[in-house]
Amino acid sequence: MGRNITLIGMPAAGKSTVGVLLAKRLGYSFVDVDIVIQNQEGKLLKEIIAEQGLDGFLEVENRVNARISEHEAVIAPGGSVIYGKEAMENLKSQGVVVYLKISFEELAERLGNVVDRGVVLREGMTLRDLYEERIAYFEKYADITIDEEGKDFGEVVDELRRLMEARGFFKKGRREHG
């Protein structure tokens, strides 16, 4: 198994925040796949969605995530990565997939403007519909689920690091950065 940790979850679940903190703590690199997509495409996510539509964006996202190749990295893909079979197979083949689970209420509170965040909503779909649809995918692909209810991001990172250590994920002799 690879040594990467891929964080999946709804937008605003803290994939990037937790990812950066965890990467620093472990001495891993951090990859924000939304930024990789924007750099490769030369456009903001919301511009890609506006120009290519939802299905076009999902194809771009699947293609980019299917080509990610890292070693000892914390990877934070967009929330819709779970729709891409090739993307998820690639990410799972390189390490462990962690689902950062938040309640719908927490999601609605954190999210703010969904369009500005590049959240992929099909016409006529509510945020609740999207939440309900994605849960099954997150649970399907997750090797580990962390419930963020009542925890700050530092506590989530600590819990995740403990779970990974318990699974023997880290090499002997690898020292954590503190």
Side-chain angles (χ1 to χ4, degrees):
M1 176 193 274
R3 305 211 63 81
N4 295 335
I5 301 167
T6 298
L7 304 176
I8 61 172
M10 291 298 291
K15 296 180 296 289
S16 294
T17 304
V18 168
V20 167
L21 293 170
L22 186 63
K24 280 184 181 178
R25 181 97 40 99
L26 301 176
Y28 276 28
S29 57
F30 174 72
V31 179
D32 184 322
V33 183
D34 284 350
I35 293 172
V36 173
I37 291 169
Q38 289 182 165
N39 288 341
Q40 286 186 13
E41 298 297 308
K43 296 176 179 146
L44 298 175
L45 298 183
K46 63 183 179 181
E47 293 171 335
I48 298 168
I49 294 167
E51 289 173 17
Q52 299 187 31
L54 180 53
D55 291 333
F57 171 75
L58 292 174
E59 286 175 25
V60 169
E61 183 177 49
N62 185 45
R63 183 184 74 237
V64 171
N65 279 281
R67 291 183 182 155
I68 295 274
S69 179
E70 296 290 331
H71 180 70
E72 294 189 349
V74 178
I75 301 169
S80 54
V81 69
I82 42 121
Y83 297 122
K85 184 176 182 284
E86 296 82 5
M88 290 309 302
E89 286 172 355
N90 179 50
L91 294 169
K92 281 185 78 70
S93 75
Q94 294 184 50
V96 66
V97 174
V98 178
Y99 169 29
L100 298 181
K101 181 180 178 180
I102 62 174
S103 67
F104 177 76
E105 294 70 28
E106 185 75 13
L107 169 68
E109 188 177 307
R110 289 184 191 179
L111 199 51
N113 185 328
V114 292
V115 174
D116 233 30
R117 295 273 314 223
V119 176
V120 177
L121 272 178
R122 293 199 183 275
E123 199 169 320
M125 184 179 247
T126 66
L127 187 58
R128 169 73 78 175
D129 295 336
L130 184 71
Y131 179 82
E132 298 294 337
E133 177 181 279
R134 287 188 181 179
I135 286 174
Y137 286 98
F138 294 140
E139 291 173 349
K140 170 184 173 183
Y141 288 118
D143 297 306
I144 296 173
T145 297
I146 302 228
D147 189 342
E148 294 184 340
E149 190 70 32
K151 298 174 189 145
D152 65 29
F153 289 136
E155 292 167 318
V156 170
V157 170
D158 290 342
E159 181 179 342
L160 182 50
R161 193 197 68 220
R162 280 193 303 273
L163 285 168
M164 298 303 291
E165 284 174 350
R167 287 176 155 235
F169 193 78
F170 305 113
K171 289 185 249 183
K172 277 190 172 175
R174 180 161 189 92
R175 309 194 111 214
E176 288 185 35
H177 299 319

